[in-house]
Amino acid sequence: MAFRCSWEAWGERSSLRAIYSRYLMRRYLSLFLSLLFIIVILVATPFPGPPVGGNQPTPTAMSSLSMILAPVVPTKQPVEASAFPVGGAKLHSEFQFPFTPIGQSPVAKSHHETIDPDYCTTWPVNTDGTYTPNAKPEHPMVLDTLAPEGGWKKPRGFKVVAMVFYKHRRNADLLDCYLRQNLAVYGGYLDEVWFMVHTIKRSDIEWLRGFVNEMPEYKFVDLGPCAIEKTKCLWEHAVDDDTLYIKMDDNVLYIHHDAIPQLVHTRLAQPHPYAISAQIVNSPVTGLQQLHYGAIHAFLPAPSRGAHHKAAETWRPSEMGLYPEGTLRFSQDPINLNSSSRGHTWLLLSNSSHDTLALTRTPMGAWNHHLNSETVTFGPHWKSWGLSAQQLYSLLYNLELNQMHRYHFGRAIDFEDHANHKDPCTRATTTPSNAHANPTTHASPSPGGEQLYDTQYEPYHLKFIAIWGRDIAASLPVRGSDETHLTSSTPLRLGRPFVIDTRAVVGHESFGLGDGVAYTDLVDRFRSYANEMVCAPDNVKKPWDGRCSGF
């Protein structure tokens, strides 16, 4: 009996041990599977590497990584970014690029997004992706101006609106300094700036929505389906009668401080032309004229394929030295150059005004000596990035020499019909009746229209033009290419020429089909110029990327 009770007690304990063992097995198996799952996740998800690139947005919270922006809402009017559900303040803090005051520690950059491998900088960006811009010079360079006595004074009675053809935030970030410099609230001429969104790239749209909140004069204009179509539909927004629209591309690298006031006053002084264009540096039509009038200098790519100099924030060509003697290869076709390594620079062949042969060895000189039957507008310049680069390096050199007058060819053209007007001062105009310049205390003539170049109805480019809203409205709808429609066919139909004001100088980054300009250090150079000469101390610009290889 005792044995049976003992056996039963032992069996009961064994049963309990079996149950407990199964419980532990299930528990530890669950823990093991959970740990295995975590290990798989960690292995499959790579950790972010150390920062190597430029001015990247800083996320305010991890939840922002999965933030979904509200869809773009089609509209025919400028739209404030605050009108969108996600709104301005949150986007502004999330995507703004903070300015680091000189003397303070630079702000580290975040990998909120992947660095674009197609870009790099020749500036001395730190290995952790931070950068502190150069201090403003104590005695900044002062450039000549064409402003009348007493300075530029904005005419009254009409609005001036800048229409920026927006595609890339990198471009708009640099252009921002020039736009602010020309705002009416700061003594300039621009009442508003409209960013005409012509992209469907989400990161560029998100950045712009936050960016426009920085200035009340900046407007986000949603083009709806037009964002993926040709540019001709953006003109449907610019139809207010008494508004002067200044349409510009976002990849404008440089705007002369007289350019926008000069265009506005020329538009008032010369009402007969259909539209007025700035003189574009990096344009086939004006490029040859710039060569003949001494604005183009003898530049060629540095002979070494790697870095020619140490990383530096500089814009002056003279600081790079002259092209090394004995290294120039005459067998290479100067027009059809091969792209070099990223960040390469161009060097001046000679700084002597007596060396007139140096230009013949450059892309512009070769083009001038081998003109063919192709049209100037869509000829070699459309395909050769070397022609574009030489013009832009020449612009930097002319700025360094303070010799922008080299671009001022052209003449005052009298478009009045004196045969049919008894009073030569009376003219039919498309200028608003209530538009007038501010009165002045001196008797000097009103500025505008002093040095014009008539394109003679040949197609030109719409990189930077001034045109009245009423003239745009009367020409709609745009048929075919908007460049041909607004610079050639419509002016020809109306008998109103399209002219260029050569005093309004603007530098344009890329042109045509070649991509070699993107491999140069030109964007870095013009950013450096803007930081020194144009940008406010709290709005200096930083590189977006890490250093180019070898710098």
Side-chain angles (χ1 to χ4, degrees):
M1 182 71 179
F3 175 78
R4 188 181 65 182
C5 291
S6 176
W7 174 257
E8 289 176 354
W10 181 86
E12 183 178 15
R13 286 195 299 272
S14 297
S15 178
L16 290 173
R17 281 196 295 268
I19 293 172
Y20 186 66
S21 297
R22 289 194 296 271
Y23 166 76
L24 290 178
M25 183 178 296
R26 287 194 300 268
R27 182 177 181 181
Y28 287 119
L29 180 60
S30 299
L31 290 174
F32 174 78
L33 292 176
S34 298
L35 289 173
L36 181 61
F37 179 76
I38 292 173
I39 292 172
V40 171
I41 292 296
L42 292 177
V43 172
T45 306
F47 289 98
V52 295
N55 214 356
Q56 300 299 326
T58 302
T60 57
M62 288 299 294
S63 61
S64 65
L65 294 175
S66 59
M67 180 183 65
I68 304 300
L69 289 176
V72 178
V73 180
T75 176
K76 287 293 184 180
Q77 296 298 327
V79 177
E80 300 283 359
S82 58
F84 293 89
V86 175
K90 184 174 181 180
L91 278 175
H92 176 77
S93 64
E94 185 171 278
F95 288 95
Q96 94 181 59
F97 300 96
F99 163 65
T100 303
I102 303 302
Q104 295 186 15
S105 299
V107 178
K109 299 168 186 176
S110 168
H111 270 246
H112 178 70
E113 59 183 303
T114 304
I115 297 296
D116 192 331
D118 291 336
Y119 298 93
C120 60
T121 181
T122 59
W123 287 16
V125 174
N126 299 324
T127 55
D128 62 354
T130 60
Y131 183 73
T132 301
N134 289 345
K136 292 272 188 178
E138 294 185 7
H139 304 288
M141 179 180 181
V142 178
L143 296 175
D144 294 338
T145 179
L146 298 170
E149 182 181 348
W152 294 109
K153 292 180 173 59
K154 184 178 183 295
R156 301 191 302 267
F158 61 97
K159 286 175 60 177
V160 181
V161 173
M163 293 173 52
V164 180
F165 179 55
Y166 175 80
K167 295 186 71 175
H168 305 292
R169 53 192 162 160
R170 294 171 180 273
N171 301 338
D173 184 47
L174 174 56
L175 184 60
D176 171 53
C177 288
Y178 292 98
L179 294 173
R180 295 194 191 205
Q181 182 187 56
N182 283 279
L183 287 176
V185 293
Y186 297 141
Y189 279 48
L190 300 179
D191 296 296
E192 295 178 359
V193 178
W194 296 359
F195 290 88
M196 319 298 286
V197 182
H198 197 265
T199 180
I200 58 174
K201 189 175 181 180
R202 167 158 292 198
S203 56
D204 287 318
I205 294 173
E206 291 172 352
W207 180 88
L208 181 63
R209 283 182 170 169
F211 172 71
V212 295
N213 289 321
E214 297 181 6
M215 301 297 298
E217 293 80 14
Y218 286 1
K219 313 294 180 184
F220 182 109
V221 181
D222 170 26
L223 299 180
C226 179
I228 58 175
E229 298 175 359
K230 294 184 178 180
T231 60
K232 61 183 181 180
C233 52
L234 72 84
W235 298 101
E236 298 171 3
H237 299 254
V239 293
D240 184 71
D241 282 355
D242 294 337
T243 296
L244 182 61
Y245 295 95
I246 299 181
K247 183 269 181 185
M248 64 185 76
D249 283 2
D250 68 351
N251 55 353
V252 167
L253 291 171
Y254 166 80
I255 302 175
H256 190 276
H257 49 273
D258 290 330
I260 290 178
Q262 178 71 25
L263 278 180
V264 172
H265 285 284
T266 295
R267 179 69 285 184
L268 293 177
Q270 294 284 358
H272 180 62
Y274 181 72
I276 314 290
S277 173
Q279 175 169 197
I280 307 300
V281 176
N282 185 13
S283 166
V285 174
T286 50
L288 282 175
Q289 299 299 324
Q290 292 164 13
L291 174 68
H292 296 152
Y293 282 92
I296 302 299
H297 300 278
F299 281 92
L300 279 176
S304 59
R305 289 191 60 83
H308 167 266
H309 58 279
K310 293 183 178 180
E313 181 182 342
T314 180
W315 62 270
R316 292 171 172 82
S318 66
E319 295 179 356
M320 296 297 171
L322 295 177
Y323 199 95
E325 293 185 10
T327 59
L328 184 60
R329 294 176 298 173
F330 293 94
S331 60
Q332 186 176 12
D333 181 1
I335 296 181
N336 300 305
L337 296 173
N338 295 322
S339 299
S340 186
S341 58
R342 291 197 177 276
H344 85 275
T345 193
W346 284 42
L347 302 176
L348 195 62
L349 291 182
S350 172
N351 56 8
S352 171
S353 58
H354 294 281
D355 188 356
T356 57
L357 293 177
L359 266 175
T360 64
R361 303 164 185 166
T362 66
M364 290 295 294
W367 183 29
N368 182 61
H369 283 275
H370 297 87
L371 294 175
N372 52 37
S373 59
E374 292 183 281
T375 62
V376 172
T377 304
F378 300 107
H381 194 289
W382 183 256
K383 307 168 186 175
S384 170
W385 68 271
L387 294 172
S388 300
Q390 186 180 355
Q391 292 179 56
L392 290 170
Y393 281 104
S394 295
L395 172 58
L396 288 169
Y397 194 47
N398 288 325
L399 286 168
E400 181 180 1
L401 298 176
N402 193 17
Q403 293 184 353
M404 294 300 290
H405 64 272
R406 292 173 178 263
Y407 294 98
H408 302 162
F409 54 85
R411 63 182 180 84
I413 303 176
D414 186 1
F415 290 107
E416 297 306 320
D417 185 1
H418 298 297
N420 296 318
H421 288 282
K422 295 181 180 179
D423 183 357
C425 295
T426 302
R427 52 188 172 188
T429 111
T430 59
T431 303
S433 58
N434 58 341
H436 57 282
N438 290 309
T440 56
T441 57
H442 54 85
S444 60
S446 298
E450 300 88 350
Q451 291 176 287
L452 302 180
Y453 180 86
D454 191 343
T455 62
Q456 294 295 318
Y457 303 109
E458 287 294 319
Y460 193 58
H461 307 288
L462 300 172
K463 309 304 179 187
F464 206 102
I465 73 163
I467 185 170
W468 289 111
R470 60 166 50 86
D471 288 330
I472 297 174
S475 70
L476 294 178
V478 173
R479 296 178 175 84
S481 163
D482 59 341
E483 289 191 339
T484 301
H485 183 87
L486 294 174
T487 68
S488 179
S489 59
T490 298
L492 184 61
R493 176 173 57 83
L494 299 176
R496 298 175 59 194
F498 183 93
V499 301
I500 299 168
D501 189 327
T502 65
R503 291 189 172 192
V505 182
V506 168
H508 183 253
E509 177 188 356
S510 58
F511 196 94
L513 304 177
D515 62 353
V517 172
Y519 280 77
T520 70
D521 63 351
L522 277 167
V523 173
D524 282 340
R525 296 287 195 97
F526 278 99
R527 188 195 306 111
S528 177
Y529 173 86
N531 277 351
E532 179 181 330
M533 303 293 294
V534 184
C535 303
D538 62 346
N539 192 39
V540 293
K541 303 303 180 181
K542 301 179 183 180
W544 288 67
D545 311 285
R547 291 196 202 184
C548 297
S549 176
F551 285 87

